[in-house]
Amino acid sequence: MGGDHGPRVTVPAALDFLERHGDVEIVLVGIPDAISRALAERGARAGARLRVHAASEVVGMDEPVAQAMRFKKDSSMRVAVDLVKRGEAHACVSAGNTGALMAISRFVLKTIPGIDRPAIATVLPNAQGGFTYVLDLGANVDCTAEQLMQFGLMGAMLVGAVERRERPSVGLLNIGVEDIKGNETVKHAAELLRSSGLNFYGNVEGDDIYKGTTDVVVCDGFVGNSVLKASEGLAKMIFSFLKAEFTRNPARMAVAWLAKPVFDALRARMDPARYNGASLLGLRGIVIKSHGGADVAAFGHALENALEEVLNNVPERIAQRLAALPGAPAPAAS
């Protein structure tokens, strides 16, 4: 029910996802009447692989987190996460209120032993033709060195599972590559990462994200969210500049027409929809956050990310790696 478009996007995306994958099932959680209308618009109905699970409330996109937690226990978001907790769903995908989704997921699912706080991780394109995984992107504004180390471990386990890489490289975002750079928290985090057994590259700078210097880049949520929003803004500005220059006069418009296949390919390569679907890592269950403004294709990518994490048992991999660290806490009783 969340996001800027609600069932008008999430339901068609779910139907398309079912067509692509014959061995999955979808549970649409929300207001039954609204879901039924969206299904009817596509000439679809609930069935063996598509069922509707009713929820009587919806968390608003700007609703305070505390209010959503305390007063909306039958919200579509809470019910969906509860399904994961009870084992009735393998993953939850939502385009709703990010803060509420993180708080509800952490309260209901709890964190993996050894993880203090979940982190938001997503992929950004790089010059190597692949992706750089960046975390945290806004869940944790203030982080300790230990938490940054945990982010590195979670990111490495995610890349190892999804990208099938034996020892993904991890970089720590800093204001310089030298060991003496950064605040005391970042310096201590670097020490912890070096002794963690991960393939720690060392400090990296912002441009290394797009160079593809490392598979994973670790930072606190304040920095990560700022990097993400600045990147999105830069991409939009570049395309607006190109459009302005190529429409300045008839001659340039003719050149633009000739170059259209190139620009279409570039736009597709940089399309944010291709990278939609951020992982809430560190939970005892899989939760994927879609961008609130996602269209059908973009929400479909978030569903694909959820499927990849389910097939590769990402939470279990993170838990196993943490349990192998020196001084790791004993697994909690099930």
Side-chain angles (χ1 to χ4, degrees):
M1 302 300 298
D4 298 341
H5 311 292
R8 290 187 293 111
V9 160
T10 57
V11 171
L15 292 172
D16 292 345
F17 183 71
L18 285 175
E19 291 182 4
R20 293 194 299 272
H21 301 282
D23 57 346
V24 301
E25 299 176 5
I26 288 284
V27 183
L28 300 173
V29 182
I31 309 299
D33 288 347
I35 295 174
S36 296
R37 286 194 298 271
L39 287 171
E41 290 175 1
R42 286 283 296 259
R45 65 177 64 183
R49 295 177 54 221
L50 179 71
R51 65 185 179 91
V52 177
H53 193 107
S56 62
E57 300 170 313
V58 175
V59 175
M61 293 298 285
D62 298 321
E63 190 165 342
V65 172
Q67 181 172 307
M69 288 280 292
R70 185 174 180 182
F71 299 110
K72 290 193 173 179
K73 297 182 180 179
D74 197 47
S75 68
S76 56
M77 187 181 289
R78 176 68 175 267
V79 172
V81 176
D82 280 336
L83 291 177
V84 176
K85 171 69 173 180
R86 297 199 300 267
E88 296 179 38
H90 290 95
C92 167
V93 182
S94 173
N97 184 314
T98 303
L101 181 64
M102 176 61 83
I104 290 171
S105 299
R106 185 178 180 186
F107 176 77
V108 173
L109 298 175
K110 312 303 181 188
T111 56
I112 295 168
I115 295 295
D116 297 332
R117 298 178 184 176
I120 299 175
T122 195
V123 297
L124 294 174
N126 62 45
Q128 306 298 322
F131 307 103
T132 302
Y133 289 69
V134 184
L135 71 164
D136 178 33
L137 292 177
N140 307 283
V141 174
D142 297 306
C143 296
T144 65
E146 289 76 13
Q147 288 161 357
L148 291 173
M149 185 276 289
Q150 293 168 13
F151 296 168
L153 188 148
M154 292 191 293
M157 293 304 100
L158 177 61
V159 174
V162 175
E163 303 287 347
R164 313 293 197 276
R165 294 188 183 174
E166 187 68 27
R167 280 178 56 78
S169 56
V170 178
L172 180 63
L173 192 60
N174 203 341
I175 57 173
V177 298
E178 300 85 358
D179 292 340
I180 62 172
K181 294 290 183 69
N183 57 35
E184 293 305 313
T185 298
V186 171
K187 291 177 183 177
H188 187 200
E191 295 173 1
L192 294 175
L193 285 163
R194 286 191 189 94
S195 60
S196 66
L198 296 172
N199 182 16
F200 181 54
Y201 175 88
N203 291 331
V204 295
E205 298 181 272
D207 59 343
D208 286 302
I209 295 173
Y210 299 102
K211 289 179 181 177
T213 303
T214 59
D215 298 309
V216 179
V217 171
V218 174
C219 57
D220 65 46
F222 186 97
V223 172
N225 192 265
S226 299
V227 168
L228 180 65
K229 296 301 172 61
S231 301
E232 292 174 348
L234 176 62
K236 291 178 181 177
M237 184 186 72
I238 289 173
F239 279 110
S240 68
F241 282 1
L242 287 171
K243 183 178 180 180
E245 292 301 324
F246 276 110
T247 56
R248 192 173 296 278
N249 56 54
R252 290 191 178 188
M253 291 175 67
V255 173
W257 182 80
L258 291 173
K260 187 176 184 300
V262 175
F263 288 115
D264 287 345
L266 177 62
R267 187 181 297 276
R269 190 171 181 179
M270 297 180 65
D271 184 2
R274 292 185 60 195
Y275 316 108
N276 184 52
S279 305
L280 273 56
L281 291 180
L283 298 167
R284 299 189 195 186
I286 295 170
V287 180
I288 301 294
K289 173 63 176 72
S290 165
H291 194 289
D295 59 14
V296 173
F299 195 82
H301 279 286
L303 291 170
E304 297 287 349
N305 288 352
L307 179 60
E308 280 293 316
E309 292 199 20
V310 170
L311 294 176
N312 289 286
N313 300 314
V314 170
E316 290 83 355
R317 286 173 179 255
I318 293 172
Q320 290 169 5
R321 183 65 180 82
L322 279 166
L325 290 177
S334 58

